[in-house]
Amino acid sequence: MKKALVSITAIGFGLLSNGCFGSDDEEETSSSGTTSPSTATVTSSMTVAAAVTNNTASASTTGSTGTTMGSTTGGTGGTGGTGGTGGTGGTGGTGGTGGTGGTGGTGGTGGTGGDGGTGGTTTTPLSGKAADGYLVGATVCLDTNANMKCDEGEPTATTAAGGAFTLEIPSGVDASASPIVVQVGETTIDEDTGAAVGKPYVLSAPAGESDFISPLTTVVHGMLQQNPALTLDDAVTQVKLRIGASSDVSLFEDYVAAKQSSDDAANEYERLHRIAQVAASTLAANHEVIMQAATTQGVDADESGAALLALVTSQALDGLEVAAAAVDAAGEDFNVADIDVPTADVTDLAQQVEQAETLASTTKISIESLMTQGAYWLWSTTDEGEPEYEFGFVKNGAEANRIDESWSAYDLGGAVWVEGTDEDEETAYYLTANGWVESGDIDVNYTVNYQSDGSALFDLEDTDFALKFSAAELDVSGQSIKDYLGYESHVMVADSIAGDPVFSSGAKIYQVNFLVLNDSYVLPNWFDCEQPAVDGEGNCNVVWGALPSGPAHTFAELLYPAGAPPAGNWFSVGNGIEVRLVVGGGVHVTDRIDPENPTVTFTPGAWQYRTVHGEQLIMITMPEQFTSRLWDRGQQILAVRDGFVRRGTFMPAGTPETIGEINFNETAFEDIRVNSSIY
């Protein structure tokens, strides 16, 4: 089955991700029991001193609080003006032939040479807070060189009670252009516990977001560092989706204070605080593991510090869904010490660092420019032990606001590539205000509108389905080809390449993102299964339920009685995942990832009805441990269409169909083709 224009998969940031420009990684299953396969404050006194020009000094009319250092040698002083009421003024430099000293205000010695020497640098205060719980004794800085540590010369402070800090930003420095970094030391006090944190870690916030720095702002910043094509709003949405946060809460809000309020959001901020506590534990644990591995594996922590921290943050991001699930499951019994946090696999750390540095060095590219020159995608997998390979090329079409896509699949038996056609494409039903509308998720059905920020909007005609497309590019000339084929859907391609060839001059890769713009409800159609798991038209997307005679026509036929054993018909929603729905909202999930040892999980309250555009749907919430194995990214749904219950997906606005996937320009693709035994 051809990989369509976009895939319904999601990948976290971190290392280079698997995928292709357009993909459909679904392995669909119907069921009557068989599957049919189809992822310290810096203080700078704001002092105005007397100006010394050759032999004439004119005093400032206003002083300022603080101590100023005088010029070491004054010129021949003129008659000093009356000093303003300042702090204790600095002793004026030793005057030359000094003129009459001005009246020195409350401050400095009007002196033999006029008021005060050289004036101090003007600064502007920038205040904020740092927290897991409020952190006391952490080092905070404006990271002007973006190396994720506080260097000499950068505005720096130490957090006080309540996590408060104030940075003094020198004139001429744009504080909104640099991130905030918080170096949490072993002895830093977490006011949640009143004790030292014990293990060091680093927090940060994206440029321009200095009010509140936390583990949640850190993962947002990390996502932006590793995927420069994303906007701040894009990254925030990705994090919110992972933890199930509502649109009413802000990840940059002081959740410690907000949870004390009496408004409706207080409970949500309490939940954010708990998730942040788990994320902080993940950051601390992985900071220790990764930095120790850097020492033992010879990775220079000074030179590659930012990349190492990117790997630490990646672990925290990847663990957000687990953290949120653990917080919700614990309820009022939540104790962060009871939650196990995942630690990084540090095998081949140097390679991981190199890949992290690669991602951070990509540069955002205009989608209009990208589509003018075109991009290639690759895909490979196995189906019942048989390898499958595909590739495609996408670029602007001859018609304005359209794109063209060509693609080919490898015929294993004939050892030849066969060009695909639109007739080979499968369709899906999209829920609109006018009901279910059928459309093929292929290039010719999309209109393209290029945006001023370099992104593009892809609208699927006659539906409410639309995507935001953004990308970044990197020149990989002279780099190892296999270094950019280490992803799930590229691994088999890499295996087909002998030796370690490199990309030729002019080769480029593209890191691409497709994000769903609107809440979308989709029911896929597919027709490559065997009887009897099909409807009268041969559509495999049917669902079997409590009735043993065939696919369910209504929700009532689908549901098992309360207390029913986990036996009978089932339908699949992912790799080795069988589902039965029980009256009252319960779900039997049979895990057959190990066919010899199936495991049954019963989750009460895991499905519910929802009415959208007049259509009744069943929304299924799967246990978190199955998320990575679901065929479609998003929440599983059921709907009745054309007389049968069918499975589909709900994708909230912002859901990634692809994020951080790698495509290739013509030069890079040709390098792969020439060196592969398949292409």
Side-chain angles (χ1 to χ4, degrees):
M1 179 173 63
K2 174 193 176 287
K3 293 170 73 65
L5 175 67
V6 289
S7 70
I8 305 178
T9 62
I11 304 171
F13 91 98
L15 303 185
L16 295 172
S17 307
N18 65 294
C20 61
F21 184 97
S23 62
D24 182 349
D25 292 299
E26 299 175 28
E27 292 294 327
E28 306 292 1
T29 304
S30 303
S31 65
S32 57
T34 59
T35 62
S36 298
S38 139
T39 306
T41 301
V42 173
T43 303
S44 177
S45 302
M46 298 178 63
T47 306
V48 182
V52 179
T53 305
N54 295 325
N55 295 323
T56 305
S58 57
S60 165
T61 56
T62 56
S64 72
T65 304
T67 302
T68 51
M69 298 299 296
S71 168
T72 57
T73 305
T76 302
T79 301
T82 302
T85 304
T88 304
T91 303
T94 303
T97 308
T100 305
T103 303
T106 310
T109 305
T112 348
D115 235 4
T118 306
T121 303
T122 302
T123 63
T124 302
L126 181 69
S127 298
K129 295 180 179 180
D132 154 18
Y134 292 135
L135 297 168
V136 182
T139 300
V140 187
C141 66
L142 183 71
D143 186 19
T144 55
N145 61 2
N147 67 349
M148 292 297 293
K149 63 180 180 179
C150 297
D151 296 311
E152 184 177 353
E154 292 179 329
T156 305
T158 300
T159 57
F165 65 86
T166 299
L167 300 174
E168 294 292 343
I169 310 301
S171 58
V173 174
D174 182 4
S176 66
S178 299
I180 300 292
V181 165
V182 180
Q183 296 179 173
V184 182
E186 296 178 12
T187 59
T188 298
I189 302 299
D190 182 345
E191 289 189 357
D192 276 349
T193 63
V197 298
K199 294 181 180 180
Y201 59 93
V202 175
L203 301 177
S204 61
E209 298 292 341
S210 60
D211 290 347
F212 188 70
I213 295 87
S214 75
L216 300 180
T217 68
T218 303
V219 294
V220 170
H221 184 215
M223 180 169 279
L224 291 172
Q225 288 175 299
Q226 294 291 283
N227 196 329
L230 295 177
T231 66
L232 177 60
D233 287 343
D234 292 337
V236 167
T237 299
Q238 299 312 303
V239 173
K240 281 190 171 186
L241 286 172
R242 291 186 180 223
I243 63 177
S246 77
S247 59
D248 297 330
V249 301
S250 169
L251 301 184
F252 300 101
E253 181 74 19
D254 179 351
Y255 48 66
V256 181
K259 72 180 186 179
Q260 307 296 333
S261 68
S262 59
D263 61 26
D264 294 338
N267 288 337
E268 291 199 61
Y269 282 112
E270 171 70 36
R271 180 174 179 270
L272 285 188
H273 188 178
R274 292 178 177 181
I275 293 171
Q277 287 177 301
V278 180
S281 295
T282 307
L283 289 168
N286 283 285
H287 188 279
E288 180 178 52
V289 168
I290 289 174
M291 294 304 174
Q292 286 179 352
T295 300
T296 59
Q297 296 183 32
V299 177
D300 190 325
D302 289 327
E303 182 178 327
S304 300
L308 290 168
L309 290 175
L311 298 178
V312 173
T313 307
S314 179
Q315 289 293 317
L317 177 65
D318 290 344
L320 280 180
E321 289 169 326
V322 174
V327 166
D328 293 340
E332 293 307 311
D333 296 326
F334 171 78
N335 184 341
V336 66
D338 295 336
I339 298 176
D340 294 328
V341 298
T343 54
D345 178 358
V346 293
T347 306
D348 298 325
L349 183 64
Q351 183 179 7
Q352 295 182 46
V353 166
E354 183 179 352
Q355 291 175 334
E357 289 173 339
T358 295
L359 288 174
S361 64
T362 58
T363 304
K364 186 173 182 178
I365 183 175
S366 157
I367 298 304
E368 186 170 14
S369 171
L370 177 58
M371 288 293 93
T372 297
Q373 60 197 28
Y376 284 86
W377 53 262
L378 310 177
W379 178 77
S380 60
T381 190
T382 57
D383 182 4
E384 297 183 354
E386 293 293 324
E388 295 182 353
Y389 300 91
E390 296 175 6
F391 74 89
F393 180 68
V394 187
K395 68 175 300 182
N396 279 336
E399 185 180 348
N401 301 110
R402 296 285 182 171
I403 56 174
D404 289 336
E405 182 179 22
S406 59
W407 63 278
S408 297
Y410 189 65
D411 179 351
L412 191 65
V416 295
W417 286 92
V418 179
E419 187 172 353
T421 67
D422 287 345
E423 285 70 31
D424 299 323
E425 292 290 356
E426 292 166 353
T427 63
Y429 279 83
Y430 298 82
L431 186 55
T432 74
N434 297 318
W436 293 102
V437 174
E438 185 177 18
S439 180
D441 189 12
I442 57 176
D443 54 289
V444 297
N445 292 335
Y446 280 90
T447 59
V448 183
N449 294 288
Y450 297 110
Q451 306 297 297
S452 60
D453 66 355
S455 66
L457 304 183
F458 282 30
D459 292 294
L460 189 59
E461 289 186 328
D462 301 322
T463 74
D464 293 334
F465 188 74
L467 299 165
K468 177 186 177 182
F469 179 23
S470 63
E473 71 173 354
L474 179 70
D475 191 312
V476 292
S477 304
Q479 301 297 309
S480 170
I481 293 176
K482 289 184 178 179
D483 282 352
Y484 300 91
L485 293 175
Y487 333 113
E488 183 179 350
S489 64
H490 293 170
V491 169
M492 291 169 56
V493 178
D495 290 343
S496 72
I497 297 176
D500 190 20
V502 299
F503 284 113
S504 57
S505 177
K508 293 182 179 181
I509 63 167
Y510 306 109
Q511 185 185 39
V512 302
N513 311 298
F514 283 96
L515 306 179
V516 177
L517 280 182
N518 310 306
D519 287 355
S520 300
Y521 302 82
V522 184
L523 304 176
N525 301 318
W526 72 99
F527 299 86
D528 54 357
C529 59
E530 299 177 358
Q531 297 285 352
V534 296
D535 67 10
E537 296 180 351
N539 191 338
C540 304
N541 187 4
V542 293
V543 175
W544 291 55
L547 287 183
S549 57
H553 299 274
T554 66
F555 289 151
E557 295 176 5
L558 175 72
L559 304 179
Y560 283 80
N569 295 331
W570 46 265
F571 61 94
S572 290
V573 295
N575 181 23
I577 308 172
E578 301 173 358
V579 175
R580 299 172 185 85
L581 302 190
V582 179
V583 170
V587 176
H588 287 133
V589 182
T590 303
D591 184 356
R592 295 191 183 274
I593 194 67
D594 180 358
E596 302 300 320
N597 298 287
T599 302
V600 178
T601 300
F602 179 68
T603 306
W607 70 265
Q608 61 183 352
Y609 290 113
R610 178 185 295 177
T611 299
V612 181
H613 296 317
E615 295 282 339
Q616 189 177 49
L617 310 174
I618 285 181
M619 313 295 294
I620 305 172
T621 301
M622 294 294 295
E624 187 280 331
Q625 65 263 34
F626 299 113
T627 300
S628 64
R629 290 163 52 196
L630 297 176
W631 287 323
D632 303 334
R633 180 63 177 181
Q635 185 175 8
Q636 301 295 299
I637 67 171
L638 298 173
V640 177
R641 185 187 59 76
D642 292 345
F644 290 89
V645 180
R646 307 185 190 270
R647 186 193 64 82
T649 307
F650 164 60
M651 293 175 286
T655 298
E657 282 214 336
T658 61
I659 186 167
E661 295 189 352
I662 303 301
N663 293 177
F664 308 87
N665 74 348
E666 184 173 6
T667 301
F669 174 74
E670 187 65 13
D671 290 334
I672 294 169
R673 188 192 66 77
V674 167
N675 287 283
S676 168
S677 62
I678 298 297
Y679 288 87

